[in-house]
Amino acid sequence: MNAGINGNKAFVSKRQGFDKAKRQRTVFLFLAIAPSLIGYFLFTLYPNLMSVYYSLLNWDGLTDAVYIGFENYVNLVKDQFVWRAMYHNLLYMIVVPTLIVFISLLLAYLLNNKSYKENSLYKVIFFFTNVLSTVVIALLWSFIFDGSFGMLNGILELFGFNMNDFYWLGDTRTAFWALVLPMVWGGVGLYVVIFMNAISAIPKSIYEAAFLEGARPMAILFRITIPLIRNVIRVCIVFIILGSIKGFEIIMVLTNGGPEGSTDVIGLYMFNLAFGKEYHNYGYASAIGMFLFVVLVGAKLIIDKFFPEDSVEF
Amino acid sequence: MAERRTLMDGIWRLLLLLWAVSIIFPVVWILYQSFRTNTAFFQDIWALPTSLNWDNYSKAWNDYNIGRSLVNTVYYVGVSLVLGTFLTTLNAYALTRMNFRGRKLIWALIMLSLFLPGINALVPQYILMKSLHLTNSLTGLIILDSFGENVFFLMLLGGFMSSLPRDLEESAFMDGASIFQTFWRIIVPLSTPGIVTVAIFKFLGLYNNFLGPFIYLGDPAKYTIGVNMYQANMKMQYTSDWVTMFAGVIIVMVPSILFYMMFQKRIMEGATMGAMKG
């Protein structure tokens, strides 16, 4: 009898234990999920939704917003600065990824397939630019490009070319192309490491077979290495292209779109409309933001269509 | 497979060397120029300093108010790092190791963020922050950067946590541990390698964050170090005080360099993982 009652008691307390654990679980879940999720709703999803609405307003942030329908979009299509910026984006979108992928593939291939004794040190050095902030990268390059005391003109002078204090970022003919250098320089390291990992995943036996067949190193690179890691290359290209559409910090620090708008890109144009020193136009900036959104999604779809994902088997 | 050394090898080695020099040389150049005076620098931009002259550093420290901005940076990066990493760890645990109604929906919502470039949301986000009275405040920036979802971190940490044995929680529960204790005493210690990787990338992102502080901090007394150097550079166009600027840039780079030296291997591993998932 006693045992029965005790058992019952134990059962009851165990039941209570379960209830308590269940309550605790609910509290825990709430505490674990809610802060991040609410922040995500508030700071990410809500602003993204609102940007659609803002793009339909005429609003400078000071006076009251006026609903103007699609007028911002009509202006956008007619705005030659938008198309000029888009054209610059398009050029960067082609030049920067091509250079980054080409250089980092070559460097990764050399680091992986040649056993020079300095290779392990190079890997660490190459990646270093990726831990620097874009501001530091931009400042470094502003010291390189300066007309009077820049490293570039200094080096050219050592080789006998007197540049007469030519300021690379101050001339409409050179500023645009000069900016390619810091973009590539700052990006290569990451892709060297990514490509090195991809290349080292290719079984050694494939290389050995090719070597025994008498294949030359360049033939091995183009016929074996690159085809076998083409999926990785593809992901990297998508990554760099999307980054180059979104990124404008280096340009902002070095030229802020100048001289005469020759380095303006769409993100920077939008940013200056929203947060620049002159007058603000939140509505129009949002419309450009929406346009950029469409461009980004479009770019991704085009890449997916023209570079379909293949499965590769070793 | 024995390699033969040929002429091509010479060219390849030169190429690798050139790329390495293009990275090392500008940094070294700025470092040694930062010990010279402006007059000496303007005369010859290659000459080495005659003595180890720290004046530029104290000048940069005082003129650019680097001390102040460093304190701001430590506050912003430190609090965001601890709070953000803690929240991400909690979140990753609940989303990968616990079953509850609505979990799939939450994942789907989080995955949506991969399609949002973020740039179109800058203006509404600013208006929102303004109406919440969080602009021009480091604490506001901390709130903005700590609360939210990040697919890369969730995948990284979630992947790590789901590789832990399934019956960990069950046996802890049998021993009478509450879920809070289980999380804190068992899951967190076992996930430390993953948490550290997340923290490393949060640190790099926060320390290098420029656009956020630039948009949200208007008061020079609240500048973080990146914004501070940007503004200093804007001013330098009129003062042309080059050597002080060099000293400032070196000061900003020191934390990055030290951090890279400490965590070089993990940074490289994590970066490749992140790129492949993005």
Side-chain angles (χ1 to χ4, degrees):
Chain A
M1 272 297 248
N2 269 352
I5 292 164
N6 282 346
N8 222 352
K9 242 185 194 162
F11 178 72
V12 167
S13 72
K14 201 171 181 189
R15 244 327 265 280
Q16 279 170 343
F18 267 120
D19 280 349
K20 201 176 156 215
K22 221 176 161 184
R23 259 203 320 280
Q24 272 182 344
R25 206 184 104 97
T26 316
V27 173
F28 179 85
L29 261 179
F30 180 78
L31 290 176
I33 303 275
S36 300
L37 197 62
I38 291 171
Y40 176 60
F41 269 100
L42 198 60
F43 298 126
T44 304
L45 291 183
Y46 171 76
N48 269 292
L49 272 178
M50 286 306 279
S51 70
V52 181
Y53 170 65
Y54 281 22
S55 70
L56 307 175
L57 302 177
N58 180 14
W59 189 21
D60 59 5
L62 302 169
T63 52
D64 282 341
V66 183
Y67 180 84
I68 52 167
F70 286 93
E71 205 172 300
N72 283 326
Y73 291 97
V74 175
N75 290 337
L76 187 152
V77 176
K78 289 190 213 148
D79 186 348
Q80 51 161 332
F81 293 141
V82 167
W83 296 109
R84 183 182 66 188
M86 259 327 285
Y87 173 67
H88 292 154
N89 269 115
L90 198 68
L91 280 183
Y92 281 139
M93 242 167 86
I94 296 165
V95 176
V96 174
T98 311
L99 283 173
I100 290 183
V101 168
F102 179 77
I103 295 173
S104 38
L105 257 178
L106 184 64
L107 295 177
Y109 179 74
L110 292 177
L111 289 185
N112 244 346
N113 294 40
K114 305 273 178 182
S115 45
Y116 307 134
K117 56 183 180 299
E118 61 272 25
N119 278 3
S120 53
L121 179 65
Y122 282 157
K123 188 179 168 189
V124 178
I125 295 174
F126 292 170
F127 192 83
F128 174 63
T129 56
N130 285 83
V131 298
L132 294 176
S133 68
T134 39
V135 179
V136 168
I137 291 178
L139 290 178
L140 274 175
W141 281 85
S142 76
F143 303 145
I144 292 175
F145 284 134
D146 189 80
S148 317
F149 311 108
M151 271 178 264
L152 182 57
N153 282 353
I155 290 170
L156 288 173
E157 210 160 304
L158 291 180
F159 285 100
F161 301 99
N162 189 346
M163 298 308 294
N164 288 322
D165 291 356
F166 180 78
Y167 182 38
W168 295 88
L169 298 175
D171 194 294
T172 47
R173 287 166 303 172
T174 51
F176 181 85
W177 299 105
L179 285 175
V180 171
L181 290 177
M183 293 179 197
V184 172
W185 184 83
V188 162
L190 173 65
Y191 299 99
V192 170
V193 176
I194 291 174
F195 290 146
M196 278 181 76
N197 286 355
I199 292 172
S200 59
I202 300 173
K204 281 269 179 291
S205 56
I206 295 182
Y207 284 115
E208 272 158 27
F211 189 76
L212 290 178
E213 301 273 331
R216 293 167 54 82
M218 280 299 115
I220 294 178
L221 174 63
F222 284 102
R223 296 273 173 75
I224 296 174
T225 310
I226 292 179
L228 284 179
I229 64 166
R230 60 167 280 178
N231 267 341
V232 177
I233 297 176
R234 181 183 159 279
V235 175
C236 289
I237 290 175
V238 174
F239 216 66
I240 306 169
I241 287 180
L242 297 186
S244 97
I245 302 175
K246 279 194 270 185
F248 54 85
E249 288 173 47
I250 286 183
I251 303 177
M252 185 178 149
V253 178
L254 282 174
T255 64
N256 200 18
E260 294 165 45
S262 62
T263 57
D264 205 9
V265 290
I266 193 88
L268 184 62
Y269 184 58
M270 189 211 102
F271 187 83
N272 280 328
L273 274 173
F275 306 106
K277 289 200 176 78
E278 286 139 43
Y279 98 110
H280 295 170
N281 192 337
Y282 290 149
Y284 192 43
S286 294
I288 295 172
M290 289 309 297
F291 175 65
L292 202 57
F293 181 93
V294 174
V295 169
L296 277 163
V297 173
K300 191 155 190 318
L301 290 179
I302 289 171
I303 296 165
D304 282 345
K305 190 163 164 55
F306 286 100
F307 303 95
E309 209 164 336
D310 301 329
S311 59
V312 175
E313 272 176 44
F314 297 134
Chain B
M1 189 158 55
E3 279 182 296
R4 271 184 311 133
R5 292 280 181 254
T6 60
L7 178 69
M8 266 330 260
D9 279 308
I11 295 173
W12 294 137
R13 288 177 92 161
L14 188 69
L15 206 76
L16 287 165
L17 181 70
L18 274 178
W19 192 263
V21 166
S22 86
I23 293 164
I24 296 289
F25 183 70
V27 179
V28 172
W29 184 79
I30 291 168
L31 179 67
Y32 80 72
Q33 295 301 342
S34 70
F35 292 109
R36 300 177 73 205
T37 62
N38 273 314
T39 22
F41 171 69
F42 292 152
Q43 261 165 23
D44 182 357
I45 63 163
W46 300 118
L48 293 165
T50 44
S51 65
L52 221 59
N53 176 2
W54 292 94
D55 289 355
N56 297 326
Y57 284 87
S58 61
K59 196 156 174 255
W61 189 270
N62 296 322
D63 284 12
Y64 300 155
N65 221 343
I66 287 184
R68 178 79 239 168
S69 68
L70 215 54
V71 172
N72 293 340
T73 307
V74 168
Y75 173 63
Y76 160 63
V77 174
V79 178
S80 309
L81 183 65
V82 173
L83 183 61
T85 308
F86 178 69
L87 288 174
T88 305
T89 310
L90 264 174
N91 205 20
Y93 176 70
L95 287 174
T96 47
R97 280 182 81 92
M98 289 176 81
N99 272 315
F100 56 92
R101 275 180 60 196
R103 195 175 86 145
K104 282 216 172 98
L105 178 72
I106 292 176
W107 267 114
L109 279 170
I110 295 170
M111 286 301 169
L112 194 66
S113 71
L114 289 177
F115 294 94
L116 304 172
I119 192 160
N120 57 316
L122 282 179
V123 174
Q125 202 181 53
Y126 178 76
I127 307 288
L128 171 76
M129 290 286 280
K130 213 169 169 180
S131 62
L132 295 172
H133 302 287
L134 292 176
T135 48
N136 203 14
S137 140
L138 286 161
T139 310
L141 212 53
I142 289 171
I143 293 173
L144 178 66
D145 285 344
S146 303
F147 295 89
E149 308 279 5
N150 182 312
V151 176
F152 166 50
F153 291 143
L154 283 180
M155 294 273 224
L156 202 152
L157 204 47
F160 195 90
M161 283 174 171
S162 50
S163 70
L164 299 175
R166 266 285 147 206
D167 46 5
L168 271 178
E169 284 93 337
E170 220 166 282
S171 41
F173 178 72
M174 288 305 174
D175 290 343
S178 74
I179 183 150
F180 292 91
Q181 287 166 325
T182 312
F183 174 74
W184 194 244
R185 299 257 174 84
I186 296 168
I187 301 296
V188 169
L190 286 176
S191 316
T192 308
I195 296 172
V196 171
T197 306
V198 167
I200 287 172
F201 281 91
K202 285 207 185 229
F203 175 86
L204 283 175
L206 290 163
Y207 185 75
N208 292 339
N209 185 5
F210 171 68
L211 224 45
F214 182 74
I215 292 173
Y216 288 109
L217 304 172
D219 180 0
K222 287 177 182 150
Y223 285 166
T224 58
I225 198 143
V227 181
N228 200 33
M229 287 321 291
Y230 169 79
Q231 302 289 5
N233 184 51
M234 290 284 127
K235 268 185 239 154
M236 200 202 74
Q237 290 170 346
Y238 308 105
T239 59
S240 53
D241 186 357
W242 280 68
V243 287
T244 312
M245 192 67 206
F246 291 153
V249 170
I250 292 295
I251 295 176
V252 182
M253 278 172 75
V254 165
S256 306
I257 294 174
L258 288 179
F259 196 75
Y260 185 52
M261 280 160 69
M262 275 190 290
F263 299 111
Q264 178 252 113
K265 229 178 162 171
R266 273 175 190 255
I267 294 175
M268 283 192 189
E269 276 167 14
T272 45
M273 226 151 58
M276 287 304 98
K277 274 176 184 150

